Amino acid sequence: MTRFSAAVSDSSDDEHDVHMVQDFKKSPVRSPPKLLENHNAKAGSDEDIGVDQESDEETSEEDSSSDMQEDDLAPARSRLTRNHGLTADSDDETEDGSESTSSRSASSSESDVDVSAQREDASVIPWARQVGVDAQKMHVMQTSLFRIPEEAVAIKAMNRATRPQFKLPLTVRRKHSRDSIGDGLRMDSQERASFAHDIEPPAYRPSRKYARVEISASAVAGCEDGLVDAGLAFGRSFRVGWGPGGTLVHLGRLSAPSSQIDTSANSSVITKTIVPLFARSHKEANVRLSRLLQHHLSKTPIVKDESGIPFADPTAELDFSSFVSLYPSSDHSDEQSLFRLGRALFDSIDLHLAPEITVDVRNRISAVRRKAALSDWLEEAVGYLVDADLKKHSSGDSAACIYTLLTGNQIEKACEAAMDNGYIKLATLISQASGDFEFREDLMEQIQLWREQRIDVHIGESTRKIYALLAGILDVVEGSKASSLEHCPDVDPIKGLDWKRTFGLHLWFSEPMDAPISQVFESYNRSRQESPSRVAPPLPSYLEHSSEPLPFNVPTPSPSDALFSLIRLHADPACSLSQALSPLSFGPSPGDYSLSWHLYIILSRCMRIRDFADRADPGNRRDAMDDDNEQDQHEGHSPSADLLASSYAHQLEQLGMLQEAVFVLLHIEGSAGREKAIKDLLHRSADKLDEWMCSGILGSLKIPVAWVNEARAVYAIYEGKVFEAYQLYLNAGLYQQAHDLAVVELAPEAVIRQDLDLLVSLFERIANQIVDGWHTRGKVYMDYAHAMARIPELHASLTESAVPDTVEEQELDNFTRAVPRLINVLPDVLSNPSDPRHKVALAEMISGLTAVLDIVRPLALVCLFFFVLLTRKLNVDPCRSRSHK
């Protein structure tokens, strides 16, 4: 009968089992022998296996061919059954393709075990008959030497009780497709226990059209100098990248993702663009940032960390109040307003309380003083807006002027304006502004009575706004609903106000006098979210009052004002510092991190109030009186803080403020990153490292002189001043770079000039240092100079003396043996074929050594010729072979 079977298993069996399964699929399907049917029908019986063997011998010869094929399949079936490799049907059908009537019935598990045992034992008899062994003896041998059938069946039954885990193969089958294209993916069919078991989908593997190859196998190997095609010349390294001073190197034209471009980027023209990082002029930015950084440096000592790298550690004296002192009282810029708000919210307050006052009382008094300081700052911040609105209402609308004064919390001026215009009762009410709840309830009842009696239609709109503010109502005040002349329009008390005055109305009139700043902030933020069309959002000043087009595109949603972010930092403990220090909150330039960095230093490094989220523990707040734990103020590491410092230093580099940029990079927390960032900056700005600049960097900032000399040496090489670069490397203690430069550039010229003293002086200071390749490169030059100077002296001394000196003879003999080895290694030292100086120096050195050797021992030239020829032919280093010996 027809049956459904699962597919081939993906288990890690031998390949032989897989081939057996494939052969089984290819073989014709035949009906199972009657012997197996009889055994399946008697699954619950306990007959001996020998009876089955006798019944099997009585089968006719007509079924012999079928039995032989079934016998051939028996070993393969046993292996596949053990590995869940052939079938595992939901109806518990037999694994050799025959149906088991007992397994379909509600039989016990013991009968299933017996059926499996008989089915496995039946395969022994045909195999024993085939090889000519008695079936009974074969059964005894199998039982004694191998696992008994009952134990094997029991173990197999235990394994069947657990649900098998099926895994998908990592390979996929493709038809008419390529791996690089990624289409035509088709999974191989997988094994599962039954059709009720789902197969998990394979893991997604993205296609890869290109593969990285080595440079030796690349098609552009050797063509890197093809400057006609910039993509070919910089195929492995070229990309859009930043250069010194904010220079952006790119192909094509800079554009936004949605911009329409006319030119193609498939060009060989490389463009250098100076990206503007400031919204204002560089001169103005230079003056402004110099003032901030000079004050910052005066409060920041430069110390060395555990690795010996200079590090800037600002003190607790660097707070908001210290920055406020930099601005005159007449300055109303956004920058000074920012520092004054920080002073009101975060700087320490001297409460002038006795020591026995409890903590609760101190906290309560501190909260009241903090709110009063915020109110004073807000009155000053909106003062110029109130004055501008007063000029608009100077025509005679006295109620509008009073309302405008109230929006700036100028209570005294509002009372005077009311009395001057005859509003005596209104002045009495204004003097009680921000009163208790009974006062506010009385005003609410008055407004309700006006609406019910339809009297509000005879009251001016500004007067109704004044009563609404005094009652603490900031929502829309409904007018009386009537027809024709008695209809009164609704009044919005905060209509047309900016976000500062709207927040101030919540602070001064809406919330109770003893409400904390967090409650006031929550009230304003909730009304802003519930009524975005009525309540002004906290936009920065350049978006709030600017009518000219901005130099940069502002993202959507618009950023919050930095002043609002500072208030949020104080009111919301869950606010992240990264959200409050967005560059667009301070100005229209998305690359201006100047004020963001200064606020971070104050809030995080000095006052220990808030930190970035990627720092493990920002530590405790630093008090001005706490000097004992000064060494334990910096816990963890913040990559965001280092990135902020690097961005600010990049701006200063564009302005040409090199000393200030180095000072900012000294705040990077990681020693290795701080050293690399400062060295890279010095290398990029090496042309500006004059005497005045170096004195500031080495003196005030305590930068190691080796870092400065290294940068100057690189620039000297660029200008072709090789000897100056060599001296700078030596002064910096970089003996490896000095050695390499002397070997390649300076020593060949000294050899050509035959200046042996200069040649020796080049390597004298390096001889006692640890330098890679010293014995095979630099020492070779010194040996050459020593041999050229000493061999003639020894020869002359031995020739003139009547009695030869034994020591001199031995020294001359050593030179005679050393010169051939020296000549043999010279081609490896002067190995640059493109430099003609190397060729000339090599010829000069070989000719000079052979000349002095010919004077001393002429026959040594013959030995020298064969020695060099032999070592070159065998490619043997004589110095290395001598060392092995």
Side-chain angles (χ1 to χ4, degrees):
M1 63 181 292
T2 306
R3 62 177 269 136
F4 298 92
S5 61
V8 182
S9 172
D10 60 345
S11 59
S12 59
D13 293 333
D14 297 336
E15 295 182 357
H16 176 71
D17 297 343
V18 180
H19 292 306
M20 293 296 294
V21 176
Q22 294 177 354
D23 296 339
F24 174 72
K25 289 183 177 181
K26 295 178 181 179
S27 61
V29 180
R30 296 179 180 271
S31 60
K34 297 179 180 180
L35 172 65
L36 298 179
E37 295 180 0
N38 296 334
H39 281 288
N40 293 333
K42 301 177 181 180
S45 63
D46 298 329
E47 296 180 357
D48 189 78
I49 193 171
V51 178
D52 299 335
Q53 296 172 357
E54 294 177 358
S55 63
D56 183 67
E57 291 177 355
E58 296 175 359
T59 56
S60 62
E61 296 180 356
E62 296 177 357
D63 299 334
S64 60
S65 60
S66 174
D67 293 340
M68 289 299 294
Q69 294 178 0
E70 193 71 22
D71 297 340
D72 295 339
L73 289 174
R77 279 203 303 269
S78 63
R79 286 192 297 269
L80 292 172
T81 302
R82 188 165 55 253
N83 295 313
H84 308 282
L86 186 57
T87 58
D89 295 340
S90 60
D91 296 334
D92 294 334
E93 296 179 358
T94 58
E95 298 181 1
D96 58 349
S98 61
E99 292 185 358
S100 175
T101 56
S102 61
S103 62
R104 291 188 178 183
S105 62
S107 60
S108 63
S109 60
E110 296 178 357
S111 62
D112 296 337
V113 171
D114 294 338
V115 171
S116 302
Q118 295 175 4
R119 192 160 55 242
E120 290 182 359
D121 296 340
S123 63
V124 177
I125 302 172
W127 183 84
R129 184 181 62 230
Q130 181 179 358
V131 299
V133 181
D134 183 58
Q136 185 63 26
K137 293 181 179 180
M138 186 64 198
H139 175 65
V140 174
M141 293 171 62
Q142 181 183 16
T143 305
S144 59
L145 296 178
F146 302 100
R147 180 180 295 171
I148 59 177
E150 292 77 6
E151 183 182 354
V153 171
I155 294 176
K156 183 176 180 180
M158 294 174 59
N159 295 334
R160 282 183 177 180
T162 61
R163 181 176 178 179
Q165 299 291 332
F166 301 96
K167 298 181 179 180
L168 293 174
L170 297 178
T171 59
V172 293
R173 184 178 302 171
R174 310 175 190 274
K175 184 176 181 180
H176 305 298
S177 64
R178 296 177 57 190
D179 294 348
S180 60
I181 300 177
D183 57 350
L185 300 181
R186 188 160 59 93
M187 295 190 328
D188 289 338
S189 57
Q190 305 298 321
E191 178 194 42
R192 53 184 177 179
S194 67
F195 289 99
H197 297 167
D198 296 332
I199 297 179
E200 299 179 358
Y204 172 73
R205 185 178 66 178
S207 60
R208 184 174 181 180
K209 296 184 178 181
Y210 305 102
R212 184 181 179 88
V213 297
E214 298 296 333
I215 185 62
S216 58
S218 176
V220 299
C223 302
E224 288 80 4
D225 56 347
L227 299 181
V228 177
D229 188 352
L232 178 61
F234 303 97
R236 283 179 171 266
S237 61
F238 185 81
R239 73 214 181 284
V240 177
W242 291 99
T247 304
L248 187 64
V249 183
H250 59 91
L251 291 174
R253 189 182 65 181
L254 297 178
S255 59
S258 59
S259 301
Q260 299 292 333
I261 56 177
D262 302 329
T263 61
S264 174
N266 188 14
S267 173
S268 299
V269 179
I270 301 177
T271 306
K272 293 195 302 182
T273 304
I274 302 297
V275 179
L277 300 178
F278 296 93
R280 302 175 183 176
S281 64
H282 284 190
K283 183 178 180 180
E284 180 184 359
N286 197 324
V287 175
R288 178 174 60 89
L289 298 181
S290 296
R291 177 174 53 183
L292 295 177
L293 290 171
Q294 188 64 33
H295 173 72
H296 192 156
L297 178 61
S298 63
K299 305 290 184 180
T300 304
I302 307 298
V303 297
K304 288 188 177 181
D305 59 5
E306 297 81 0
S307 303
I309 307 300
F311 174 67
D313 188 16
T315 62
E317 298 178 359
L318 190 67
D319 53 4
F320 287 99
S321 299
S322 64
F323 281 95
V324 171
S325 61
L326 300 177
Y327 302 92
S329 58
S330 59
D331 190 352
H332 298 286
S333 62
D334 295 338
E335 193 172 300
Q336 65 83 27
S337 181
L338 185 68
F339 288 112
R340 289 178 181 174
L341 174 60
R343 179 182 62 179
L345 294 176
F346 300 107
D347 280 5
S348 59
I349 301 177
D350 190 2
L351 303 178
H352 300 286
L353 297 177
E356 59 271 11
I357 302 299
T358 61
V359 178
D360 296 338
V361 176
R362 288 178 178 273
N363 294 337
R364 178 61 181 166
I365 296 176
S366 177
V368 173
R369 292 280 300 275
R370 191 76 68 184
K371 185 177 181 181
L374 176 62
S375 177
D376 294 340
W377 169 83
L378 195 56
E379 291 180 14
E380 184 180 359
V382 301
Y384 74 98
L385 297 174
V386 173
D387 295 340
D389 289 348
L390 288 176
K391 293 180 180 179
K392 299 178 183 179
H393 305 297
S394 59
S395 56
D397 191 355
S398 58
C401 293
I402 298 173
Y403 167 76
T404 302
L405 291 172
L406 289 178
T407 58
N409 199 31
Q410 300 181 15
I411 304 297
E412 184 177 354
K413 292 183 179 180
C415 291
E416 293 178 357
M419 290 187 296
D420 292 343
N421 290 277
Y423 299 106
I424 305 299
K425 296 182 179 179
L426 182 60
T428 305
L429 295 177
I430 294 175
S431 62
Q432 305 178 58
S434 302
D436 53 10
F437 287 101
E438 295 181 359
F439 172 76
R440 296 185 180 185
E441 290 178 358
D442 292 342
L443 291 178
M444 289 181 184
E445 292 178 0
Q446 181 66 58
I447 295 174
Q448 180 70 18
L449 183 63
W450 286 348
R451 182 171 61 254
E452 292 175 354
Q453 297 181 1
R454 301 177 182 177
I455 302 176
D456 52 0
V457 69
H458 305 287
I459 301 175
E461 180 180 352
S462 299
T463 305
R464 294 173 61 193
K465 286 184 179 181
I466 295 173
Y467 274 83
L469 291 181
L470 297 178
I473 301 176
L474 298 182
D475 295 331
V476 176
V477 179
E478 297 182 357
S480 57
K481 306 301 180 183
S483 58
S484 64
L485 299 177
E486 294 183 351
H487 177 73
C488 181
D490 299 339
V491 173
D492 189 358
I494 61 175
K495 181 180 180 181
L497 298 180
D498 60 290
W499 79 268
K500 296 186 189 71
R501 284 191 286 180
T502 304
F503 179 83
L505 295 182
H506 284 269
L507 177 67
W508 298 318
F509 302 103
S510 177
E511 297 299 322
M513 182 179 298
D514 57 349
I517 298 177
S518 58
Q519 181 176 339
V520 176
F521 173 81
E522 181 62 27
S523 175
Y524 166 75
N525 201 34
R526 181 174 58 253
S527 62
R528 179 174 66 91
Q529 295 175 357
E530 293 176 355
S531 305
S533 59
R534 292 183 53 249
V535 182
L539 296 177
S541 58
Y542 67 89
L543 291 177
E544 198 171 26
H545 307 291
S546 177
S547 58
E548 300 179 357
L550 299 175
F552 301 94
N553 296 328
V554 179
T556 303
S558 300
S560 300
D561 193 354
L563 302 173
F564 176 80
S565 299
L566 274 184
I567 299 175
R568 182 183 177 187
L569 275 176
H570 181 272
D572 186 7
C575 179
S576 174
L577 193 60
S578 58
Q579 300 175 0
L581 299 183
S582 173
L584 291 175
S585 298
F586 301 89
S589 174
D592 188 358
Y593 292 89
S594 55
L595 291 177
S596 301
W597 183 80
H598 284 287
L599 289 185
Y600 160 75
I601 292 297
I602 297 174
L603 293 173
S604 176
R605 298 280 291 273
C606 297
M607 307 185 71
R608 317 296 292 176
I609 294 175
R610 199 70 56 86
D611 211 325
F612 288 114
D614 55 2
R615 190 189 300 278
D617 183 10
N620 300 323
R621 177 169 178 168
R622 177 189 291 180
D623 297 331
M625 303 297 294
D626 187 10
D627 294 330
D628 298 335
N629 300 327
E630 191 169 343
Q631 299 296 330
D632 300 330
Q633 294 301 324
H634 308 292
E635 300 89 356
H637 176 260
S638 175
S640 299
D642 292 349
L643 181 61
L644 183 61
S646 300
S647 301
Y648 186 25
H650 188 69
Q651 290 181 256
L652 298 172
E653 182 184 359
Q654 188 182 62
L655 294 177
M657 305 171 64
L658 182 58
Q659 294 185 19
E660 290 79 0
V662 173
F663 172 68
V664 171
L665 291 178
L666 284 173
H667 292 77
I668 294 180
E669 299 170 2
S671 300
R674 190 185 325 125
E675 179 181 1
K676 184 180 184 304
I678 295 176
K679 284 186 176 181
D680 292 345
L681 174 61
L682 294 176
H683 280 73
R684 293 194 301 267
S685 306
D687 57 328
K688 301 176 183 177
L689 295 176
D690 52 10
E691 183 178 356
W692 178 85
M693 186 69 68
C694 292
S695 63
I697 293 176
L698 300 176
S700 302
L701 304 181
K702 299 180 181 180
I703 299 298
V705 65
W707 297 4
V708 178
N709 288 335
E710 182 182 1
R712 295 175 62 188
V714 173
Y715 184 69
I717 294 176
Y718 169 75
E719 290 189 327
K721 303 176 182 179
V722 181
F723 188 75
E724 181 181 350
Y726 164 80
Q727 290 180 328
L728 290 171
Y729 276 136
L730 288 180
N731 295 333
L734 302 174
Y735 297 104
Q736 182 66 54
Q737 288 84 343
H739 169 264
D740 297 340
L741 192 62
V743 168
V744 177
E745 299 291 341
L746 299 178
E749 292 188 2
V751 171
I752 295 174
R753 296 178 183 179
Q754 298 182 356
D755 192 347
L756 299 181
D757 295 336
L758 175 60
L759 188 62
V760 173
S761 64
L762 290 175
F763 298 98
E764 278 182 344
R765 294 180 59 182
I766 308 175
N768 298 325
Q769 306 297 331
I770 300 176
V771 175
D772 294 339
W774 162 252
H775 293 282
T776 58
R777 301 181 68 193
K779 190 175 182 298
V780 173
Y781 283 105
M782 294 196 68
D783 293 343
Y784 163 76
H786 188 47
M788 293 296 295
R790 185 60 177 161
I791 290 178
E793 294 179 358
L794 292 175
H795 177 67
S797 177
L798 292 175
T799 303
E800 295 176 358
S801 62
V803 180
D805 189 359
T806 306
V807 178
E808 292 181 351
E809 286 183 349
Q810 183 64 32
E811 184 179 359
L812 183 60
D813 185 65
N814 293 336
F815 274 117
T816 305
R817 289 193 298 266
V819 166
R821 291 190 294 269
L822 185 60
I823 294 176
N824 189 45
V825 299
L826 286 178
D828 296 331
V829 179
L830 300 166
S831 58
N832 189 3
S834 61
D835 192 348
R837 297 175 301 173
H838 283 211
K839 296 181 179 180
V840 177
L842 178 60
E844 179 67 27
M845 294 175 73
I846 293 177
S847 62
L849 291 175
T850 53
V852 297
L853 187 61
D854 185 30
I855 297 174
V856 178
R857 294 184 181 179
L859 295 179
L861 291 176
V862 180
C863 300
L864 173 62
F865 172 76
F866 286 105
F867 178 79
V868 174
L869 181 62
L870 181 61
T871 53
R872 287 297 177 184
K873 184 175 182 181
L874 298 179
N875 195 15
V876 177
D877 188 356
C879 297
R880 186 181 303 174
S881 62
R882 183 184 180 186
S883 62
H884 288 308
K885 292 179 181 180

